[in-house]
């Protein structure tokens, strides 16, 4: 069952942790009904009909399980709620500067199928919605793995002009050809200092004045290859920069697994993202 897998299960642990902490400035909310409706419309618009049908019905089991989970009806419900969370986070970020969603398993999903534990691509779905409203979007992807699903979605829907893709990875899984000269795909395999340098360089290469919102795929699966402190430092650099540039930023959890650590350690890693985000109240332009 998909519920047994980290990508769908860890959000519950993190939500409970946030409740228990009751940290000032951090507020949990369910996605509103209109975000759920928008999520269904976005999934149907951005993913192929046959794949969407497979997710809903499980009839084409190869397609329905292409992300790597056994199919059950909750997969569709999970995909809709996950996407609605990203939509709500982007709307909240546009209003308040910084917001996030406990969604994960997005950036490998392609128009016609899932991949690498990613069912639907909430990053691309939300980027398209924002671009349709005239916004210039940066998808900033610091998950350990490359965001080949997002690149495929951007290409399939001709979003190259309004959506920039900045991707810093530590593993070549789901690599892809850069779509636009202003996009970046960099792989740093080891070395905490090299990684942090690459984070700074990538943040410097973003055209902040020409960016209306950043969608940040905050995968923490660079750990344990890279240290917990490197994760914490990376998150501070990202949110401090968005704050300094007065640019809205909406984050999602993305990768992070209990293969080599306990659930408590994994929650603590994602907590680095949440507290770094909460530490900055971006004053919008
Ligand atoms: Zn990953």
């Amino acid at each position: 069952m998909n519920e047994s897998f980290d990508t769908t299960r860890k959000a519950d642990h993190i939500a409970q942790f946030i409740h228990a902490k009751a940290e000032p400035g951090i507020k949990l909310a369910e996605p509103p009904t209109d975000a759920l409706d928008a999520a269904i419309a976005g999934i149907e618009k951005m993913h192929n009909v046959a794949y969407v049908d497979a997710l809903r019905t499980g009839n084409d089991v190869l397609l329905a399980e292409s992300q790597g989970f056994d199919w059950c009806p909750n997969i569709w419900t999970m995909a809709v709620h996950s996407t609605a969370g990203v939509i709500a986070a982007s709307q909240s970020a546009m209003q308040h500067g910084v917001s996030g969603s406990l969604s994960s398993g997005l950036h490998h999903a392609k128009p016609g199928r899932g991949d690498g534990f990613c069912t639907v691509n909430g990053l691309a779905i939300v980027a398209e919605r924002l671009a349709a409203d005239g916004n210039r979007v940066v998808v900033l992807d610091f998950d350990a793995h490359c965001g080949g699903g997002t690149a495929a979605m951007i290409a399939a829907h001709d979003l190259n002009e309004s959506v920039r893709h900045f991707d810093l990875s530590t593993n070549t899984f789901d690599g892809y050809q850069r779509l636009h000269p202003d996009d970046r795909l960099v792989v740093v395999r080891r070395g905490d200092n090299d990684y942090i340098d690459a984070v700074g360089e990538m943040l410097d290469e973003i055209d902040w004045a020409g960016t209306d919102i950043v969608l940040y795929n905050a995968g923490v699966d660079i750990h344990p290859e890279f240290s917990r402190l490197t994760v914490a430092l990376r998150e501070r650099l990202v949110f401090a920069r968005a704050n300094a540039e007065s640019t809205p930023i909406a984050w999602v959890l993305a990768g992070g697994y209990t293969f080599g650590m306990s659930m408590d350690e994994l929650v603590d890693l994602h907590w680095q993202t949440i507290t770094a985000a909460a530490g900055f109240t971006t004053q919008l332009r």
Side-chain angles (χ1 to χ4, degrees):
M1 296 290 283
N2 63 317
E3 289 88 347
S4 68
F5 191 76
D6 291 338
T7 295
T8 47
R9 192 182 51 172
K10 70 185 179 187
D12 269 346
H13 290 263
I14 293 166
Q16 285 168 23
F17 187 82
I18 293 170
H19 268 306
K21 276 267 184 188
E23 193 100 340
I26 300 176
K27 198 170 63 183
L28 265 181
E30 293 285 331
T33 310
D34 62 342
L36 293 167
D37 294 340
I40 294 170
I43 294 167
E44 288 175 340
K45 183 175 189 179
M46 297 291 284
H47 288 281
N48 298 357
V49 175
Y51 180 47
V52 174
D53 184 60
L55 290 176
R56 278 190 162 120
T57 65
N59 285 343
D60 184 336
V61 79
L62 278 180
L63 261 187
E65 298 185 349
S66 51
Q67 81 284 68
F69 302 142
D70 291 344
W71 184 85
C72 70
N74 291 345
I75 292 260
W76 174 251
T77 310
M78 178 276 289
V80 170
H81 280 77
S82 166
T83 305
V86 192
I87 291 170
S90 72
Q91 291 167 337
S92 174
M94 281 300 212
Q95 281 189 322
H96 306 295
V98 186
S99 190
S101 172
L102 304 183
S103 312
S104 53
L106 316 179
H107 72 157
H108 301 312
K110 300 178 171 59
R113 64 184 188 90
D115 195 7
F117 311 129
C118 296
T119 307
V120 299
N121 198 317
L123 293 165
I125 290 166
V126 172
E128 190 277 337
R129 279 175 56 87
L130 291 160
D133 287 340
N135 295 296
R136 296 156 303 175
V137 182
V138 164
V139 176
L140 182 66
D141 190 340
F142 284 175
D143 185 277
H145 305 97
C146 304
T150 305
M153 300 286 285
I154 291 171
H157 293 278
D158 280 330
L159 298 170
N160 292 318
E161 290 311 313
S162 44
V163 181
R164 294 274 61 75
H165 196 193
F166 283 78
D167 191 336
L168 175 59
S169 302
T170 61
N171 181 305
T172 54
F173 175 75
D174 208 15
Y176 55 91
Q177 289 290 323
R178 207 164 47 141
L179 299 172
H180 188 282
D182 293 341
D183 289 350
R184 293 289 177 270
L185 173 58
V186 174
V187 180
V188 175
R189 286 185 176 277
R190 59 186 65 83
D192 287 88
N193 290 340
D194 288 351
Y195 183 80
I196 288 298
D197 285 349
V199 167
E201 281 165 24
M202 195 161 278
L203 293 174
D204 283 345
E205 286 178 327
I206 293 173
D207 171 17
W208 290 93
T211 299
D212 297 307
I213 183 167
V214 173
L215 302 178
Y216 177 39
N217 199 44
V220 296
D221 48 358
I222 65 163
H223 185 75
E225 281 78 17
F226 296 83
S227 73
R228 177 184 178 279
L229 185 64
T230 291
V231 175
L233 185 53
R234 180 190 81 179
E235 304 307 55
R236 289 194 63 81
L237 288 170
V238 168
F239 291 105
R241 188 60 180 267
N243 178 62
E245 303 286 353
S246 303
T247 303
I249 180 165
W251 52 266
V252 295
L253 293 179
Y257 306 98
T258 52
F259 302 149
M261 67 187 96
S262 69
M263 183 58 82
D264 285 349
E265 287 170 313
L266 179 57
V267 169
D268 171 71
L269 278 175
H270 284 300
W271 182 244
Q272 311 303 317
T273 305
I274 296 166
T275 51
F280 296 99
T281 314
T282 295
Q283 297 296 316
L284 299 178
R285 275 175 252 157

